[in-house]
Amino acid sequence: MNVDDISKTIIGCAIEVHKRLGPGLLESAYQECLFYELRQAGLEVQKEKPMPIVYKEVKLDHGYRIDLLVEDKVVVELKTVDALNEIHTAQVLTYLKLGNYKLGLLLNFQVAMLKDGIKRLIN
């Protein structure tokens, strides 16, 4: 499955979660429900995947974690904020760079319609 197909499935599952739950919950609730939906869709999903920082020859584990990593290809970062900002984008781009992943989805569930809370990022 290529990253575009994976991305479409992720977005479809996220829309389903948002339609059923609506905005206003904690990020962890959306994460658990999206994890469930993605697994039901037959995708390999890792939750809270550790993301160490490697600086020169030093590996630093500072507790950074990818919310969801799908098919070991697509980083999914969930937010429940009034508006996405540059630091949220930078976070996903950093995960893409550190993990050598090609595609990231930044999903903000604190919106009336989820399509307004989706940002697709490419490394």
Side-chain angles (χ1 to χ4, degrees):
M1 195 173 218
N2 68 43
V3 293
D4 288 331
D5 292 334
I6 296 167
S7 173
K8 288 176 188 171
T9 301
I10 294 167
I11 291 169
C13 289
I15 289 170
E16 176 66 17
V17 169
H18 191 266
K19 276 184 1 186
R20 288 181 177 264
L21 298 178
L25 301 176
L26 294 175
E27 181 182 309
S28 58
Y30 298 109
Q31 183 182 27
E32 286 298 322
C33 294
L34 184 54
F35 177 77
Y36 171 82
E37 286 292 334
L38 294 171
R39 299 279 305 229
Q40 290 296 111
L43 295 175
E44 169 78 28
V45 186
Q46 297 175 60
K47 183 172 36 171
E48 297 291 327
K49 178 163 176 34
M51 178 55 59
I53 297 172
V54 178
Y55 176 76
K56 296 188 178 180
E57 293 84 34
V58 179
K59 184 177 178 181
L60 308 167
D61 186 10
H62 281 283
Y64 295 108
R65 297 184 181 278
I66 297 172
D67 287 340
L68 299 170
L69 181 62
V70 182
E71 293 289 319
D72 209 28
K73 294 179 182 178
V74 181
V75 171
V76 180
E77 185 65 25
L78 285 72
K79 299 294 179 198
T80 54
V81 294
D82 289 334
L84 294 174
N85 61 43
E86 291 178 18
I87 196 69
H88 301 128
T89 300
Q91 179 185 12
V92 175
L93 290 173
T94 297
Y95 288 162
L96 294 177
K97 180 180 172 185
L98 292 174
N100 198 28
Y101 303 114
K102 300 277 187 251
L103 179 64
L105 292 173
L106 180 56
L107 305 176
N108 182 17
F109 282 85
Q110 195 67 18
V111 292
M113 293 185 56
L114 189 64
K115 70 180 183 85
D116 298 327
I118 299 172
K119 191 164 188 178
R120 191 170 194 262
L121 302 161
I122 298 171
N123 182 19

